[in-house]
Amino acid sequence: MTTHDLYAKDPGTPDWQVPASGAARFSWEYDDGRDRLLALYQKGKDKQWDSVRRIDWDLEVDPYDPLGTPDEALALHGTRHWNRMTERDKGELRRHYSSWQFSQFLHGEQGAMICAARIVESVPDLDAKFYSATQTMDEARHAEIYGRFLQEKIGMLYPINDNLQSLLGDTLRDSRWDMPYLGMQVLIEGLALAAFGMIRDTTDKPLPKQILAYVMQDEARHVAFGRMALRDYYRQLTDAELREREEFVIEGCYLMRDRLRGTEVLENFGIPAAEAEEYTEQSEFLHLFRKLLFSRIVPCVKDIGLWGERLQRAYLDLGVFELGDSNLDLLMAQDEELAEKLDAERFVAEEAARTAEVTEAIAEGAADEG
């Protein structure tokens, strides 16, 4: 069986080719570098980990309720379709929603890996090339993890969402070296972090909680990298150049807001597209989810120096303007601490289990002797 056989909808051709533009840049300056970025590079090296060993893949997952999703979070809840569904149908709906969501995580991580490699190629400064090389490895690991979870635990994938694909294409086709930072590190990674965090903090299922906590620990470094590099560079740009970047951010934010409907799932259950959109737009859970998803993006955009009048109006229209005052450093620190806490809790539990096994073996040996 190939991955193609697991797709709930035909993904089309097996690959997607995006024409690349822009220069590959070499730097002959090997001594000087920004201390902050070199420290982040060292941290990136120190924090590399193996998903085969760190994640407990033996944990069982119910593919029909992988995340413990409540009924109220499903767009069909309370509709005429819901009232006709059996418990088996509802389990299948949860499976499809989880598959759709984690499939977008998977495709986004592959996009992040390609963008990080593009940064290595195009960014002019060697310190940034060094860090991007560690990020490329991180993103490869994340794609590996999400791919394994979908194939082995859920048994189903969804194709990349049209709007996510559009934003990735725009990011990769742009010849300016800072655009992979802006499109990926700020917009797509910021969106992903908020989505990961919401599931991490609400699921009662140990395997997805592990996966999301450990991935978010890496992503906290990636967003810090993007903020450092873009903040330094954007101080040098003209007002016209900054407005061009702000237009890209505005378009990307609207694309991502519209991406979050998951109507592909409902259409897969035979519900017409227009009706599927109506149900998702009426979902109170989706409205809350959308707002939370911008909690990492808005303060980051403001922090790097993109905060013109048109961008502020767009965030007012999206209902997320006040998020610009969020403490992004605190959020990122919490992401790292939660992963370390989870590691510590797992170590204590595993050590207790080993101690119990030894105690039991000693007791059995003593009984045999008696």
Side-chain angles (χ1 to χ4, degrees):
M1 179 181 289
T2 68
T3 302
H4 192 281
D5 298 324
L6 296 178
Y7 275 99
K9 299 176 70 174
D10 184 1
T13 56
D15 59 7
W16 175 41
Q17 299 184 32
V18 182
S21 60
R25 293 175 173 86
F26 286 78
S27 172
W28 309 131
E29 179 52 73
Y30 294 100
D31 291 326
D32 294 333
R34 288 163 285 188
D35 291 340
R36 295 169 301 149
L37 261 183
L38 292 175
L40 199 60
Y41 168 55
Q42 183 62 48
K43 191 173 184 180
K45 291 188 293 180
D46 292 341
K47 295 289 186 178
Q48 292 295 318
W49 50 278
D50 184 349
S51 67
V52 175
R53 294 186 175 89
R54 194 181 189 194
I55 292 174
D56 185 359
W57 291 104
D58 290 333
L59 288 167
E60 292 189 6
V61 173
D62 178 359
Y64 299 99
D65 191 18
L67 304 174
T69 307
D71 290 349
E72 295 76 15
L74 302 172
L76 282 186
H77 181 256
T79 68
R80 58 188 176 86
H81 301 284
W82 181 263
N83 297 331
R84 291 201 299 263
M85 295 176 80
T86 65
E87 288 305 311
R88 182 182 179 86
D89 294 333
K90 293 172 184 176
E92 192 65 35
L93 183 64
R94 286 189 179 86
R95 181 185 183 214
H96 276 256
Y97 265 121
S98 298
S99 171
W100 177 82
Q101 198 161 34
F102 274 75
S103 292
Q104 304 320 309
F105 295 166
L106 168 62
H107 303 315
E109 295 292 356
Q110 184 183 174
M113 177 178 66
I114 292 169
C115 284
R118 180 68 60 82
I119 292 171
V120 174
E121 177 188 44
S122 63
V123 70
D125 304 305
L126 200 64
D127 51 8
K129 291 182 185 291
F130 283 169
Y131 181 78
S132 293
T134 68
Q135 181 177 346
T136 305
M137 183 61 207
D138 288 344
E139 307 297 5
R141 180 169 57 249
H142 300 169
E144 170 202 349
I145 291 167
Y146 286 130
R148 182 172 179 179
F149 182 73
L150 285 161
Q151 293 183 79
E152 295 184 5
K153 301 300 184 179
I154 297 182
M156 178 189 295
L157 287 85
Y158 265 77
I160 188 170
N161 175 271
D162 289 344
N163 288 333
L164 175 58
Q165 187 169 16
S166 177
L167 182 56
L168 274 172
D170 290 345
T171 298
L172 289 166
R173 279 187 288 265
D174 200 297
S175 61
R176 293 168 292 187
W177 67 261
D178 65 298
M179 297 311 283
Y181 281 100
L182 188 57
M184 179 53 64
Q185 310 284 79
V186 176
L187 297 183
I188 298 175
E189 297 265 75
L191 175 82
L193 267 172
F196 297 167
M198 187 169 185
I199 299 172
R200 177 200 63 189
D201 296 340
T202 57
T203 185
D204 59 354
K205 308 299 182 182
L207 182 58
K209 184 181 284 288
Q210 277 183 31
I211 289 171
L212 292 163
Y214 296 152
V215 167
M216 289 184 73
Q217 186 179 36
D218 292 341
E219 301 290 9
R221 294 194 308 275
H222 303 167
V223 174
F225 169 50
R227 288 168 66 196
M228 284 183 199
L230 292 181
R231 197 164 46 210
D232 289 348
Y233 180 58
Y234 286 173
R235 290 192 186 106
Q236 308 167 28
L237 297 187
T238 65
D239 288 343
E241 289 170 328
L242 290 174
R243 279 196 300 272
E244 289 177 357
R245 272 74 176 174
E246 289 178 353
E247 288 297 326
F248 179 83
V249 169
I250 291 169
E251 183 179 351
C253 285
Y254 278 109
L255 266 178
M256 288 187 295
R257 182 194 66 175
D258 296 336
R259 164 204 165 191
L260 303 172
R261 293 174 175 172
T263 54
E264 303 99 306
V265 172
L266 300 187
E267 290 172 38
N268 225 26
F269 277 71
I271 297 173
E275 191 176 354
E277 288 187 12
E278 181 182 348
Y279 288 143
T280 54
E281 287 304 313
Q282 291 173 352
S283 168
E284 292 182 11
F285 182 83
L286 178 66
H287 287 198
L288 173 63
F289 191 46
R290 276 180 170 170
K291 186 165 185 176
L292 289 173
L293 285 171
F294 285 93
S295 62
R296 309 293 182 111
I297 294 174
V298 179
C300 187
V301 167
K302 185 176 183 179
D303 178 69
I304 62 177
L306 299 181
W307 203 243
E309 184 179 341
R310 180 165 163 71
L311 182 60
Q312 292 184 45
R313 284 202 307 270
Y315 282 151
L316 284 169
D317 178 56
L318 289 164
V320 296
F321 176 82
E322 72 280 3
L323 295 175
D325 294 328
S326 301
N327 188 332
L328 196 56
D329 291 322
L330 178 60
L331 289 171
M332 299 302 179
Q334 289 171 345
D335 292 338
E336 297 204 62
E337 289 167 6
L338 281 169
E340 291 167 1
K341 181 181 177 183
L342 185 58
D343 270 341
E345 290 171 351
R346 287 181 60 201
F347 176 78
V348 169
E350 289 167 6
E351 188 64 28
R354 283 194 292 268
T355 301
E357 286 176 9
V358 171
T359 302
E360 184 179 351
I362 293 171
E364 288 176 356
D368 291 341
E369 290 177 5

